Amino acid sequence: MIRRPLVWFLGITGLCVVLALFFIQSAWFARTAQRLVFARLPARTGITGGFEGFAIKLFPPGVSLLEPRLAAQAENSLGLPAGASIEAKRVDLIFRPFQALSGETRLSELVIVQGKVRVHSESSRFAGTQTTPLGWEQIFNLPMDGIS
C-alpha cells in the first residue's frame, strides 16, 4: 500500500508538467511544428519562413516564438514586393490569466520584440506617393486588447 497517495500524485503530476514544458521548448519540437505549419500552408501564398523555437510564459500565460522570420516570394497573396522580409528577436502571444478555464482562448496581446521589416521595391507604383508613419496597428488587423 502506498503511503501518502496525495503526495505521490502531486509529485508525479508536477514531474509530468515539467517534462512537458521542457519537451515543448525543445529544438526537436520546434522543428517538427515548423515543418507541420509550412507543410499545411498553401504554396500559392508565396510566403516562406520559420522560427528557432518556442518559449512558454507562465505569468502572464503565453507562448513566444523565438527568432521568427518571414519572406515574400515574387508571387504572394499579401501583395508585397519580392524579397520583402520580416524578422524579430521574439514574438510573444499573451493570453489572459484563467482564460483556459472558460473553454475559449483569445489572444490578449501581441508583442514584437526588436522587429525589422525590409521591403525592396524597384517598382514605380510607389513613385510620387506620400509616406506616412506606419504602426503595428495598421500592419496587423487582429482582434486583441493590445499590441506593442
Side-chain angles (χ1 to χ4, degrees), residues 35-133:
R35 273 195 307 260
L36 287 173
V37 166
F38 286 105
R40 293 186 176 20
L41 187 67
R44 67 178 180 271
T45 60
I47 304 294
T48 60
F51 52 89
E52 295 298 318
F54 291 107
I56 304 294
K57 296 176 157 287
L58 295 180
F59 195 82
V63 177
S64 295
L65 295 174
L66 304 175
E67 303 290 332
R69 59 201 173 281
L70 292 174
Q73 297 173 352
E75 298 287 326
N76 62 68
S77 61
L78 298 177
L80 294 172
S85 66
I86 300 172
E87 297 176 359
K89 180 179 180 183
R90 187 179 76 233
V91 174
D92 297 334
L93 306 170
I94 299 174
F95 310 100
R96 290 189 176 143
F98 306 112
Q99 194 175 44
L101 301 175
S102 70
E104 179 181 311
T105 304
R106 296 182 64 190
L107 186 61
S108 174
E109 190 173 350
L110 174 72
V111 180
I112 299 173
V113 179
Q114 295 179 356
K116 296 176 187 173
V117 177
R118 291 187 182 100
V119 178
H120 306 285
S121 177
E122 298 172 4
S123 170
S124 63
R125 82 175 185 184
F126 296 110
T129 59
Q130 293 181 335
T131 59
T132 58

Side-chain angles (χ1 to χ4, degrees), residues 16-52:
C16 288
V17 167
V18 169
L19 289 175
L21 288 175
F22 278 122
F23 174 69
I24 290 171
Q25 296 183 57
S26 71
W28 182 85
F29 183 79
R31 282 191 309 269
T32 304
Q34 182 174 322
R35 273 195 307 260
L36 287 173
V37 166
F38 286 105
R40 293 186 176 20
L41 187 67
R44 67 178 180 271
T45 60
I47 304 294
T48 60
F51 52 89
E52 295 298 318

